[in-house]
Amino acid sequence: QVRLVESGGGLVQFGDSLRLSCTVSAGYSSIQAMAWFRQAPGKGREFVAAMPWIGGDTNYAESIKDRFTIARDSSTLYLQMNSLKPDDTAMYYCAAAQLHRAYRSGRYEHEYDWWGQGTQVTVSS
């Protein structure tokens, strides 16, 4: 069973940077891809960025492209967020897709099997 734990959220100001981490505590040999999603108050969960567990191209939402970077080091997934705006305020979740399941764009929640509890990011103007 894969367990995901996010950290690194907080309260920052407009234009600041923040790096989120998602630690995979078990079962990472069962993962084919990982992603970050976010959910702002009163809105649905939206795709932010995704990457294969081993090799391959990263995939970003247009709204954060050129400001956010997804990366992995060993068993930790990161989301480097630069030039933060108030619109980036949300709960950020990491997700993992298991091997041998259908996985296409990585932009949809149903493509993922495991989720973390989330870490809150608040950007003040």
Side-chain angles (χ1 to χ4, degrees), residues 3 12 26 37 64 83:
R3 182 166 178 260
V12 297
F37 285 75
I64 56 83
S83 302

Coordinates of all heavy atoms in Angstrom, one line a residue, residues 3 12 26 37 64 83:
R3 N 1.7 5.1 0.6 CA 1.2 6.1 1.5 C 1.9 7.4 1.2 O 3.2 7.4 1.0 CB 1.5 5.8 3.0 CG 1.0 6.8 4.0 CD 1.0 6.3 5.4 NE 0.6 7.3 6.4 CZ 1.4 8.0 7.1 NH1 2.7 7.8 7.0 NH2 1.0 8.9 7.9
V12 N 2.3 32.8 2.5 CA 3.4 33.6 1.8 C 2.7 34.8 1.2 O 1.5 34.9 1.1 CB 4.1 32.7 0.7 CG1 4.9 31.6 1.4 CG2 3.2 32.3 -0.3
A26 N 5.9 4.0 1.3 CA 6.0 2.6 1.1 C 5.4 2.3 -0.3 O 4.6 3.1 -0.8 CB 5.1 1.9 2.1
F37 N -2.2 18.0 -7.6 CA -3.5 18.7 -7.8 C -3.7 19.7 -6.8 O -3.1 19.7 -5.7 CB -4.7 17.7 -7.8 CG -4.7 16.8 -9.0 CD1 -3.8 15.7 -9.2 CD2 -5.7 16.9 -9.9 CE1 -3.9 14.9 -10.3 CE2 -5.8 16.1 -11.0 CZ -4.9 15.1 -11.2
I64 N -0.1 27.5 -14.6 CA 1.1 27.5 -13.7 C 2.4 27.2 -14.5 O 3.4 27.3 -13.9 CB 1.0 26.6 -12.5 CG1 0.7 25.1 -13.0 CG2 -0.1 27.0 -11.6 CD1 1.9 24.3 -13.4
S83 N 7.0 32.9 -8.1 CA 6.1 34.0 -8.5 C 4.6 33.7 -8.1 O 3.7 33.8 -8.9 CB 6.2 34.2 -10.0 OG 7.5 34.5 -10.4

